[in-house]
Amino acid sequence: MSSQAPVIREAGRVPVAVFRVAPVGGETTWSLMCRIAARYGQEPGWLLAHWQWKNHQPRHPGGPARADAEVLLDRAGRALLAGLCRVDEETLGQALPSWKHGEEQFTGEQRAGAVGALWRVGGTVVGPVAFGCRLCAARRSGQAVRVVRYAERWQRVCERHHRWQLDADVDHGLENLDLCESPEVAQAQRRWTGVERRARRAGVEPAEVFGLARAVVCRWWEQALGWGEERIWPARLHRLAGGDAGGRFWWWHAVARDAVVFPEVVAVADALLDSAMEELAWADSGREQIRPRSTDGAFCRELGERVGRPWLGPLVAADYDGPLVAGWLGTVIRRRRGIEDPDGRGQDPWWVSRERQPVSTGVQLRLLAERENGTISWRKAVPDSDRARLERLLDEAVQMLSDVHVHSGRPVAEASRNLLRFLVRGSEILDRALLEAAHAALEAGVPPQFVGEWGKIPADLVEEIAQRGPAADD
C-alpha cells in the first residue's frame, strides 16, 4: 500500500474535475496522472490515495522514484481516471498503450467499493519508455511539464523542436538532447521509414533489423575509442553535449550514445537488408568453396563506405566475435551452405545473443560511478584484451616467487644469491604488471588521481604512462 495521500481530500471523495487534461499519444498512464496533478498545482501523490494499491511505487537504488513507472488500473480505476481528466475512456484507450493491461491481476480481494491499481516498470508492460519533448507538451497544454511516453529507439526525434528524447529508465537528470547542430540525426529518422518498409517486404520484423544494427554499431562505438581515423562521432558527441563534453566525457559517452550512433544504425540496417550486400558476403566466403575470410573483403569495404568511413572495412572484418561477423555474416553463409546453426537458434540472421546486446545506459553510468568512487575492480575497469595479458604477467610473477627455496641445502651465499635474483625478477614482472594495469585503467576512463592513489604511483609517472602507453613485452 502506498503511504502517500492527496493534499486535498474531503471524506474520501474524489476532487471534482475542473480542467480537461488530454493524453499525449503513447503516454504512460502514470505520466498522465502526474500531469493531472500538476494542472491543479499539486504533487503527483495528491491523487494516489483514491486507488487501492497492490504494491509499492518503483524506485531507483538509493531512493528516487522512477520516471518510467507505469500504473495499471482495474475497470473502476480507469473510470475514475477518465473522470479526473475529463476525457472519455475510448479516447484514453487509444492514446495510452497500457490502458487495458493487467486486468486479470485484479481479484475480489480488494475492499468493498475500492478501485484497484498496481505499479509496474514501463519497459516490462509495453516497451521502451522515453521522455517526451517538453516544448511539444507546452504547445499542447500551455504547461512545460514532463511527459513520459512509450517510444521505440527509431522514434526518438522531435523534428518540430529538434530534440532527441532520452530513455526514461535512468535517473541522470536529462530528458532531451538538442539536435539543432546535428541535422543528420533527424534525417536518419526519416530514412528509417523506408528501411522499415523494406524490412516488412522482406518478411522481417523492423524491430529485429534495428536491434541487430544497433548491436553492431554500439560495439563499434566502444571500439572507436581506439580508432585514430574516427572523426565523425567525437564531433557529433561534442555538439550534442552543448559544444564540448569536457570533463564529463565518459558521462556523455554513455548518455548520448544512442543519439550519436543513430545515423549509422539506420545505414547499417539499410545495408543488411540489401540483397547485393548478402551476395558480397557470399562471394567473400568463397561460395561453395570454403576459404578463410579476408580482412579486405568486399562486404566489409562496402559497409565502411555506406557509413562514411572508407577505412573501416578491415576493422569490421577482424571483429570475429561481434554480432556482425559471428552473428549475421555467419548465419547467412551457413544458411547458403545448408549448415545447421551450432547455437541451435535456427537460421535467423537477425537474432542477437544476450552477450552481444548493447550495455544499457544505466549499467554504464553505474560502472562509471563505481570507478569514480574507487569501488570497481581492475578486472571490470580494463578491456578484455588487456585483462588476459595482465593476468599472464601476474601468474608468471607468482610462479617465479613460488619456486624460491631458501632452505635448499646449498651454501648460504649461493641460496641468498638465487633468492635475490628470483625476487628481483619477480618484482620486475610485478612492476610491469602494475604499469600495464595503470595504463589499462587510464584507457578505461579511471581518473588519473585515483590510479596514482591506488597504485602508489607518483603523479608525474601516471602522466608519463598516459602519454607513452604500457611497456612492451619482453
Side-chain angles (χ1 to χ4, degrees), residues 142-379:
Q143 290 181 295
V145 295
R146 184 171 75 184
V147 173
V148 182
R149 53 189 293 270
Y150 294 99
E152 297 290 352
R153 289 189 172 86
W154 58 81
Q155 301 171 326
R156 297 298 179 83
V157 178
C158 171
E159 293 202 46
R160 178 186 294 275
H161 299 113
H162 311 290
R163 294 288 185 271
W164 176 272
Q165 300 163 43
L166 291 167
D167 287 334
D169 61 346
V170 185
D171 181 33
H172 52 51
L174 194 61
E175 296 180 10
N176 300 159
L177 298 177
D178 189 345
L179 299 178
C180 289
E181 300 299 324
S182 301
E184 68 274 16
V185 179
Q187 292 166 7
Q189 182 162 290
R190 292 193 291 271
R191 282 188 60 198
W192 172 256
T193 303
V195 177
E196 190 172 15
R197 286 197 298 268
R198 290 184 60 190
R200 295 193 186 282
R201 287 199 299 268
V204 184
E205 282 297 318
E208 294 182 348
V209 177
F210 187 88
L212 173 63
R214 180 171 176 263
V216 169
V217 177
C218 285
R219 186 172 175 93
W220 294 352
W221 173 250
E222 298 301 326
Q223 296 170 340
L225 294 169
W227 293 347
E229 299 92 338
E230 179 59 44
R231 298 290 184 273
I232 299 173
W233 280 342
R236 191 180 296 155
L237 176 62
H238 287 301
R239 290 197 300 269
L240 293 181
D244 184 9
R248 303 186 73 195
F249 172 80
W250 291 106
W251 188 89
W252 283 107
H253 187 266
V255 171
R257 177 192 63 186
D258 282 338
V260 175
V261 304
F262 184 58
E264 286 73 20
V265 171
V266 174
V268 169
D270 188 39
L272 296 183
L273 284 168
D274 189 344
S275 59
M277 292 294 288
E278 184 173 326
E279 288 300 323
L280 290 179
W282 177 235
D284 287 344
S285 73
R287 296 186 171 89
E288 288 80 6
Q289 301 296 322
I290 301 176
R291 70 184 182 196
R293 186 182 295 111
S294 169
T295 57
D296 193 33
F299 171 84
C300 291
R301 284 203 312 272
E302 177 64 20
L303 188 61
E305 293 282 354
R306 293 197 181 199
V307 295
R309 295 162 176 83
W311 45 266
L312 184 59
L315 297 174
V316 172
D319 186 18
Y320 300 111
D321 192 44
L324 180 62
V325 175
W328 189 88
L329 269 173
T331 304
V332 164
I333 293 169
R334 285 194 300 271
R335 186 176 59 187
R336 289 259 188 149
R337 291 182 177 144
I339 301 173
E340 290 296 326
D341 182 357
D343 293 330
R345 297 295 304 187
Q347 301 288 19
D348 182 7
W350 307 105
W351 176 73
V352 181
S353 62
R354 184 178 183 85
E355 63 271 16
R356 294 189 180 115
Q357 292 175 3
V359 177
S360 70
T361 300
V363 170
Q364 292 181 79
L365 292 179
R366 185 168 66 251
L367 291 175
L368 180 59
E370 289 175 350
R371 289 171 185 162
E372 291 176 345
N373 294 333
T375 59
I376 191 170
S377 71
W378 71 269
R379 285 181 172 82

Side-chain angles (χ1 to χ4, degrees), residues 15 52 68 138 152 178 243 278 341 346 408 428 432:
Q52 180 182 348
D68 65 337
E152 297 290 352
D178 189 345
E278 184 173 326
D341 182 357
S408 60
E428 288 175 352
R432 191 168 64 187

